Amino acid sequence: MTGGTGKTGRRVAALLNARGIRARVASRRSADGPDAVRFDWADETTWPAALDGVRAVYLVDSQTPTAPAELRAFTELAAAHGVERVVLLSARVLAEVGDPAWLATEDAIREGSVPWTILRPTWFIQNFLEEPLIVGAVSASADELRMPTGEGREPFIDAEDIAEAAVAALTGEGHAGQTYELSGPEALTWGEAVAEIARATGRALRFTPVDDEEALEVLTAAGWPREFVEQYLPLLAHIRHGRSATLSDGVQRLLGRAPGSVAAYTERVAKETA
């Protein structure tokens, strides 16, 4: 699996190993375990070792300009190695905004010869605590999150649910050619989510909304390419304008149960850190 040390990849690997299914972790960073291999999308010489003897592949969409071409070449190689299915982690907001540039990686997978499944989750709950404060924040100190999401609501999803959904798609039958949208059970504003995490962890966290102009200025000053920021901000504006609050049934369809909530996640974190 690519992105094997990331938020979902390492959870997918752990679940597979717990079920007695060997998971080959492929990452540019060092990974522990006998089945860990170095993998770099920019270096095709690292691809064969990741695919040797593999039956199913979990892919994480990198959203780089070269990703569609890389995925096309990779899936062709995967087919030649006898891979029987690929599962791509995409994002629901990409489909909701509908910009062809954001969906090009999904198209690349669909056009390949290996049976595919696409997962489109909403924003990960874990983004709040498994980074300095949150992935994609305009600026975050130890106690403040600033983002241009306003009062927009998002049905945040637990990465554990994404991992279980991925394992179901990787190992179960009937998922070829399916696209599953995954969300949590309720839509919260960023402020409400931050307040819930603050309550559970005892940290003095707060959320401050900013506008697109400030977001563009801060992110480009931090080194983000201006072209990427200009593409990224409409995804956050989509949330800010209230267009991302819809609940999805993908977790129920794949796992036969309701997804976990932000409150359940924060209670779990509080117990683990007590």
Side-chain angles (χ1 to χ4, degrees):
M1 65 186 65
T2 65
T5 58
K7 274 190 289 295
T8 62
R10 69 176 184 269
R11 289 177 166 88
V12 171
L15 286 173
L16 289 171
N17 287 326
R19 298 182 185 188
I21 302 172
R22 292 177 62 184
R24 179 167 300 154
V25 175
S27 173
R28 285 183 299 174
R29 294 184 292 174
S30 297
D32 295 328
D35 291 312
V37 297
R38 180 181 173 275
F39 181 89
D40 189 340
W41 282 112
D43 182 0
E44 293 190 22
T45 64
T46 66
W47 298 3
L51 291 169
D52 188 30
V54 169
R55 295 179 57 194
V57 177
Y58 178 64
L59 298 168
V60 178
D61 189 346
S62 65
Q63 283 299 325
T64 62
T66 58
E70 291 164 349
L71 281 175
R72 285 188 177 90
F74 182 80
T75 52
E76 288 180 9
L77 185 63
H81 276 73
V83 171
E84 300 172 1
R85 67 181 71 182
V86 294
V87 175
L88 174 70
L89 182 70
S90 182
R92 196 182 77 172
V93 68
L94 305 183
E96 290 173 340
V97 172
D99 186 333
W102 287 110
L103 294 174
T105 49
E106 289 191 8
D107 294 338
I109 290 296
R110 290 191 177 96
E111 293 164 5
S113 59
V114 181
W116 53 266
T117 305
I118 294 173
L119 305 180
R120 291 176 174 169
T122 53
W123 199 281
F124 301 5
I125 301 172
Q126 277 78 1
N127 286 347
F128 287 100
L129 290 177
E130 293 189 5
E131 301 294 332
L133 186 55
I134 191 169
V135 172
V138 170
S139 61
S141 65
D143 60 0
E144 182 182 26
L145 168 67
R146 299 166 63 85
M147 287 187 74
T149 50
E151 291 300 305
R153 292 183 175 274
E154 177 79 359
F156 300 99
I157 186 166
D158 192 333
E160 299 288 349
D161 286 342
I162 300 172
E164 286 192 39
V167 169
L170 287 166
T171 62
E173 299 301 324
H175 304 300
Q178 297 294 314
T179 299
Y180 295 96
E181 296 189 345
L182 312 175
S183 83
E186 60 183 344
L188 304 177
T189 67
W190 255 253
E192 289 170 343
V194 169
E196 172 61 30
I197 291 169
R199 180 198 63 77
T201 62
R203 294 174 60 185
L205 306 177
R206 66 183 185 277
F207 170 73
T208 301
V210 298
D211 58 26
D212 282 348
E213 289 73 17
E214 180 175 345
L216 178 63
E217 178 183 350
V218 173
L219 289 173
T220 53
W224 290 40
R226 185 181 183 90
E227 180 181 0
F228 178 82
V229 176
E230 290 175 344
Q231 289 181 318
Y232 178 65
L233 288 177
L235 303 182
L236 299 179
H238 177 82
I239 296 168
R240 183 173 68 245
H241 295 151
R243 298 171 184 156
S244 192
T246 304
L247 305 184
S248 296
D249 65 354
V251 172
Q252 182 69 47
R253 289 167 59 202
L254 275 163
L255 304 180
R257 62 166 177 80
S261 65
V262 171
Y265 164 72
T266 55
E267 288 173 9
R268 189 170 76 235
V269 169
K271 289 179 181 178
E272 290 173 353
T273 58

